[in-house]
Structure formats: structure tokens, C-alpha cells
């Protein structure tokens, strides 16, 4: 046998991410006052508080909020660490996005409740889509996008990357995502790639942004990760290891159960250091019950 040939993965293994049952579960990030953020998201964005838990022995609390049940919707998982009132968001994290039938009305509602509007509603530069930007109490930016209807109002996580083609390949190969849309805007010196498991208006997408000539960003300590479901964390973890050897990144947790709750997960960093956690589908549903 030729040296190193044993390490070559089978075609069947590399095809696994595309056949696997995957969807975005939640985005995890840290906030300085859990109740303040819950109030803002429920009153200004119209999210529902889905569950909340306090873990005093580990000195943290978290809350899950979204526009529908966790079994079928992408949600946010807010983490409050006892005594920590602020975090550094860094330069790499971009924004979350919410789709709404009327951006103008939503902005007025948010303004009336004391929200911080960082971009007034109106069409995007050189286009017709109506958007606005709002800052939450911790400084996280939310883009509001006008869409007549959508099954998934919480519809984007935007992250900045240093090499767009490398990132697209990574998310296609390691996570089985599709390149849903790619836009190059040389006049504004940036390109974006929308990555997801269905078309942009049907689901949540990861919006990867490349700013010309910028290869590195600071991560800060505020945004943590996205979680994605899988039917087999072990097989998925094996694929991720192969893709990391090719494109870069790092496994941060080998596949296996979390002590105490037994949900099987694996976690890793992409070539830019953005973290993803893969969570066993059945274990996740058991956890919700």
C-alpha cells in the first residue's frame, strides 16, 4: 500500500454532509444583562422567549428566543455569565438579520421603544431591497430586510472572512451547505457569499463577507458559534477532520456525548476561526422535551 493512502477518505464519506439531515439550530452569543436583552428582543423584534435556564454551579444563565419552536426554527441562544456586564464584539462579526413584511413600520416601533436605529429604512445602494439596521443593548447589529413572507424570519448570520473562495469550499465540503448566492461589488470593494441548506428566502443563511485586501479580523469574546444538526456526529466529525487538513481550521471537541446531558456533539473552527457545533438530531429533540 502506498504511504499515506490509508488516510484517503472514501467518496461515500465525503458525500455524507450533502445526504445528512442538517439545519441551523441556533446562534450562541454572550450578553451583559439577560432580562434586558429578552425584553428588547420580545418587545422590539417580536421574538418569543422559548426557554430559559439558570446554572448557578457554573455561574451562567441562558435563554433561547426565536420566531417559532426550536424543533423547526433557527433561534438565538443568549448566555449571561454571572458578573460580566459587557463584551468585545470584535471586527469580524457582522450582524444577524430579521425578515419582516414592513421594515418602515418595524423601525418606527423599535424607535418608539427607545431602540438605536443605525441605518434608516430604505433601498440598498444600487438595488431595490428595503433594509434598515438596528443595534441591540449589547451592541449587536440586526439588519431588517423587507420580505412579503418567510417561513424563517431570523434569516442571516453575517461573518467576515479573509478568503471567500476558501470559506465557500470549507462550508460546502465540511458542512454540506450550498452556495445560494454570490455577489461581487467592486465599486464598494467587497464580495459576499450566502451559504445554506435551502434558498435564501426559505431559510437561514450564513452570509460570508470578504472586504478587498482584509485577510484577518478580531473575534472579540461576545459572539460564540452556530449550531447545526446532524444524524451522525461521528461520521460528520470525520469529514470535518479531512476538510480541515485540506483547507485549514481546527477541531475543538472530538465527537461524543456532553457529560451530564449525553447530547452528542462535535465542534470545530473554520479557517478564519469561526466556530460551528454539530449536534445529534435525536439528542437535540430529547433535550427539548
Amino acid at each position: 500500500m502506498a504511504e499515506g493512502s490509508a488516510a484517503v477518505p472514501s467518496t461515500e464519506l465525503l458525500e455524507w454532509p450533502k445526504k445528512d439531515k442538517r439545519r441551523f439550530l441556533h446562534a450562541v452569543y454572550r450578553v451583559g444583562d439577560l432580562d434586558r436583552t429578552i425584553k428588547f428582543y420580545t418587545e422590539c423584534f417580536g421574538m418569543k422567549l422559548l426557554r430559559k435556564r439558570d446554572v448557578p454551579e457554573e455561574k451562567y444563565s441562558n435563554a433561547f428566543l426565536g420566531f417559532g419552536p426550536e424543533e423547526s426554527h433557527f433561534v438565538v441562544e443568549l448566555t449571561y455569565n454571572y458578573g460580566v456586564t459587557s463584551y468585545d464584539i470584535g471586527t469580524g462579526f457582522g450582524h444577524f438579520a430579521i425578515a419582516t413584511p414592513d421594515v418602515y413600520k418595524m423601525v418606527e416601533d423599535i424607535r418608539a421603544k427607545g431602540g438605536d436605529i443605525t441605518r434608516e429604512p430604505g433601498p440598498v445602494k444600487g438595488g431595490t431591497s428595503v433594509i434598515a439596521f438596528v443595534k441591540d443593548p449589547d451592541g449587536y447589529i440586526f439588519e431588517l430586510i423587507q420580505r412579503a413572507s418567510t417561513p424563517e424570519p431570523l434569516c442571516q448570520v453575517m461573518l467576515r472572512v479573509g478568503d471567500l473562495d476558501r470559506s465557500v469550499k470549507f462550508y460546502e465540503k465540511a458542512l454540506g451547505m450550498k452556495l445560494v448566492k454570490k455577489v461581487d461589488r467592486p465599486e464598494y470593494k467587497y464580495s459576499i457569499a450566502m451559504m445554506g441548506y435551502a434558498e435564501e428566502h426559505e431559510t437561514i443563511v450564513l452570509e460570508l463577507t470578504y472586504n478587498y485586501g482584509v485577510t484577518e479580523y478580531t473575534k472579540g469574546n461576545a459572539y460564540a458559534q452556530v449550531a447545526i444538526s446532524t444524524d451522525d456526529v461521528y461520521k460528520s466529525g470525520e469529514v470535518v477532520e479531512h476538510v480541515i487538513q485540506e483547507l485549514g481550521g481546527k477541531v475543538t471537541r472530538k465527537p461524543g456525548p456532553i457529560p451530564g446531558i449525553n447530547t452528542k456533539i462535535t465542534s470545530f473552527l473554520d479557517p478564519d476561526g469561526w466556530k460551528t457545533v454539530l449536534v445529534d438530531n435525536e439528542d437535540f429533540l430529547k433535550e427539548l422535551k
Side-chain angles (χ1 to χ4, degrees), residues 14 38 66 74 84 86 95 134 136 165 173 186 196 210-211 234:
L14 294 180
I38 291 168
F74 182 64
V84 185
S86 67
H95 60 255
V134 175
D136 84 355
D165 291 336
K173 291 182 170 186
Y210 169 67
N211 290 302
Y234 298 97

Side-chain angles (χ1 to χ4, degrees), residues 2 101 143 252 279:
E143 180 180 7
T252 54
V279 182

Side-chain angles (χ1 to χ4, degrees), residues 34-77:
L34 199 55
D35 291 334
R36 176 184 68 185
T37 305
I38 291 168
K39 187 176 192 308
F40 188 86
Y41 288 8
T42 53
E43 292 182 4
C44 292
F45 295 151
M47 289 188 195
K48 298 179 186 79
L49 175 60
L50 302 166
R51 57 184 170 124
K52 191 178 176 187
R53 62 186 176 195
D54 190 29
V55 189
E57 64 275 18
E58 292 183 35
K59 297 191 171 147
Y60 78 90
S61 307
N62 59 10
F64 295 78
L65 294 98
F67 293 97
E70 287 180 73
E71 289 86 348
S72 54
H73 285 70
F74 182 64
V75 307
V76 295
E77 178 184 342

Side-chain angles (χ1 to χ4, degrees), residues 124-127 184-191 210-212:
V124 294
K125 282 179 187 171
D184 190 29
R185 301 299 295 270
E187 68 275 29
Y188 301 118
K189 298 195 164 70
Y190 76 86
S191 303
Y210 169 67
N211 290 302
Y212 290 13

